Amino acid sequence: GGDVSMATRSDAGHFDASTEAWRHWDEDGEVPASCAKCHSDDGLGQFAHEGVNTSAEISSGMTCYTCHDHNDWPARYAFSDVTMPSGMVVSFGEEATDANLCLNCHQGRSSKATVDGMIASESYGFSNIHYFPAGATLFGTDAQGWYEFDGKEYAGQFMHTTGFATCIECHDTHNLEPKFEACAGCHGSDDVDSYRMATAGDFDGDGDADEGLAGEIETMVEALYAAMQANAGDIVYESHSYPYFFTDLNADGVATPDEANYGNKYGNWTPELMRAAFNFQAAQKDPGAYSHNGKYVIQVLYDSLDSLGAAGGMTRP
C-alpha cells in the first residue's frame, strides 16, 4: 500500500459525514422533520419542492443533489427570498438565488421574536439560536436573528463591497473556507482577525483602537459572560454540552464535568438574563460574526452589556 500518513477520512465542509451534524440521530434511526431540511441529504430539495419537510433517512453528509435539482441537473434549487425564524423575509436579490439557497440553513432556529414570545408568556428559559447562523448575522436588523432591544436602532444587511457581499462570494461553495487571498487584495493582509471598519474607534474600552473587530467583539463577549455570572451568581456555560448553561454547583465559575449535564441545566432565568444569554450564544455559534456584520454584532453586545449595567467604558457604534 501507499503512504497514508497524510490522508484523512473526513471530507471538507458540508460533506464531512463524521461530524455531529450528521451523526446526531444515529441512535434514533431517522432525522426528525424539524431537522431534516438541513441535516439530511435531500431535505433542502424536499423543502424547495414542497415547502415543508418530513422525517428523513439518516445521511452521510450532503450529496450533489442536496443543492442541485436531480430533475433539472445541474441547476441549483432557486430561492428568490428566504423567511427567517423571526418571520422577516430577506434576500440577496432575485438574481442571487445561489446565495439565497445558503440562507435556508444558515439562519439559526430562534430569534428576537422567539425570546420575546417566551418572556411574554412567562416561559422563562434559554432559547438556543443554533449553529452557524451567519445569514441572520449578515442581515442584521433586517432579519432580527440576534436579540435587539426595544427602542434601539441597529445596522441592517452588511453590504461590504461589490463582489464580496454574499455567502458564495466570500466562501468556497463546497469546502466553505473563506477566500482569504481575495480579502488581502484590499485589506493588504489575509489575517481577517485584524480587519476593522475604516472609521472605527475603541468599542470595547480596552484602550486598543487598532485591533480588529474580532478582538473588539472577543472582549465584549468575555465581559458579557462575566456580567451574566455577576447577575445570576450561579450560572456557567459549556459550549459543547446541551443546553449550554448550567448551575455552578461548586461556585468556581467554571463548568466542570459533573455540572455540564442536562439534569443540571440552569433554571433561574429572568428576562434580562434570557436576552443576554441569547446574544452571548449567538456570538459563540457564529465564529465569523465579526466579518459577517461586525457593527451590528457590537451594537447588540453593547446593549446586552448595558442591560446588565456592565457597558461602562465601552462605545456603541
Side-chain angles (χ1 to χ4, degrees), residues 45-66:
Q46 184 184 49
F47 181 77
H49 285 299
E50 306 295 341
V52 296
N53 283 101
T54 57
S55 58
E57 293 184 1
I58 294 173
S59 308
S60 291
M62 286 186 176
T63 69
C64 300
Y65 293 130
T66 300

Side-chain angles (χ1 to χ4, degrees), residues 303-315:
D303 292 342
S304 300
L305 285 157
D306 190 47
S307 72
L308 298 179
M314 298 186 181
T315 302

Side-chain angles (χ1 to χ4, degrees), residues 7-48:
T8 176
R9 293 183 62 188
S10 300
D11 292 315
H14 292 137
F15 303 96
D16 187 356
S18 66
T19 59
E20 180 70 5
W22 303 106
R23 300 277 61 84
H24 182 78
W25 299 272
D26 285 353
E27 294 182 356
D28 301 328
E30 66 176 15
V31 182
S34 60
C35 306
K37 180 177 70 171
C38 303
H39 294 280
S40 66
D41 56 10
D42 62 352
L44 188 58
Q46 184 184 49
F47 181 77

